Amino acid sequence: MIMVDCVEMASTSVNPSTLLPLELVDKCIGSRIWVIMKNDKEIVGTLSGFDDYVNMVLEDVVEFENTPDGKKVTKLDTILLNGNHITMLVPGGEGPEV
Amino acid sequence: MVNEKDDSQRKKKESIVDLSKFLDKKVRVKFQGGREATGILKGYDQLLNLVLDGAIEHLRDAEDPTVIGDETRNLGLIVARGTAITVVAPSDGMEQIPNPFANADE
């Protein structure tokens, strides 16, 4: 369980009634998530967990490369996805249309 | 001179931008790598991660990836990573104009 200590986060007032992005990702643990990278790569998998840098542990992963249009590369088992190049996260997402 | 240093070394890290004015408004977000998306800002954090609702990604031309074309795809509720964001702008306050620098070759 990831607990974020809001007091430490900062005194800049992020009004607590807004939805925190990492909370949304946390709610997605156990479900499918669609991860869009900075380049033309996208990953869909079941989210096992993530860390402060949003490196992610995913299972039952399908990898999509958009440009060459050889869209699918399927990997099973568990992967550690380096968070460095993650651009967008879509909780419950299915991935790009096949 | 030492006093100036104290002032700029505040213990608390205050953000230089205030995104609260964009809450529940449509914003256009540009990313490193050339992606662009628009959506309604539902939440954010200190690190500039965003929650966008009803997000639409604006796709680039297949021939020229530096040009944002007309094609879009719907993404829905997304988290945009602050580490990848370059620009956050109001969606309503923008329009495309002809190049004002068009006659630059003199």
Side-chain angles (χ1 to χ4, degrees):
Chain A
M1 240 343 210
I2 296 174
M3 308 274 281
V4 176
D5 187 342
C6 292
V7 175
E8 277 173 2
M9 266 294 259
S11 38
T12 307
S13 40
V14 175
N15 193 336
S17 63
T18 71
L19 179 54
L20 287 179
L22 297 183
E23 275 181 6
L24 182 53
V25 180
D26 185 59
K27 286 183 191 175
C28 186
I29 292 180
S31 340
R32 296 299 271 174
I33 189 168
W34 174 14
V35 183
I36 301 175
M37 316 298 284
K38 288 182 192 178
N39 54 17
D40 284 309
K41 184 170 291 197
E42 308 178 7
I43 305 261
V44 178
T46 305
L47 179 59
S48 298
F50 65 101
D51 64 7
D52 287 343
Y53 302 98
V54 197
N55 297 314
M56 308 179 91
V57 177
L58 300 167
E59 297 176 353
D60 295 339
V61 173
V62 182
E63 169 185 356
F64 299 91
E65 299 241 29
N66 261 326
T67 322
D69 262 336
K71 276 220 167 160
K72 265 187 236 177
V73 177
T74 312
K75 283 175 299 196
L76 208 71
D77 289 349
T78 308
I79 71 163
L80 170 65
L81 180 62
N82 190 318
N84 259 310
H85 297 97
I86 293 178
T87 301
M88 292 180 264
L89 301 153
V90 192
E94 309 264 320
E97 314 273 305
V98 180
Chain B
M1 285 208 251
V2 178
N3 285 339
E4 284 174 11
K5 236 191 174 178
D6 285 339
D7 277 344
S8 57
Q9 274 178 4
R10 294 176 194 280
K11 288 278 174 165
K12 9 181 192 169
K13 286 242 170 150
E14 294 177 5
S15 184
I16 56 172
V17 294
D18 178 20
L19 289 183
S20 61
K21 58 185 181 183
F22 287 136
L23 276 177
D24 289 319
K25 304 240 176 11
K26 201 161 185 203
V27 290
R28 185 166 193 120
V29 186
K30 300 194 189 194
F31 298 100
Q32 285 177 343
R35 290 193 193 261
E36 286 192 30
T38 47
I40 300 176
L41 184 66
K42 284 297 185 183
Y44 59 97
D45 63 15
Q46 182 71 338
L47 306 169
L48 210 57
N49 298 314
L50 309 178
V51 178
L52 296 178
D53 198 2
I56 302 171
E57 178 178 2
H58 300 267
L59 303 168
R60 294 165 280 178
D61 269 352
E63 278 95 66
D64 186 4
T66 61
V67 171
I68 293 283
D70 294 325
E71 278 192 45
T72 64
R73 61 174 178 174
N74 286 332
L75 300 175
L77 181 63
I78 71 167
V79 172
R81 280 291 278 141
T83 53
I85 292 174
T86 60
V87 177
V88 178
S91 176
D92 288 337
M94 284 179 27
E95 62 175 273
Q96 190 149 9
I97 60 173
N99 190 345
F101 306 108
N103 284 326
D105 353 288
E106 286 173 16

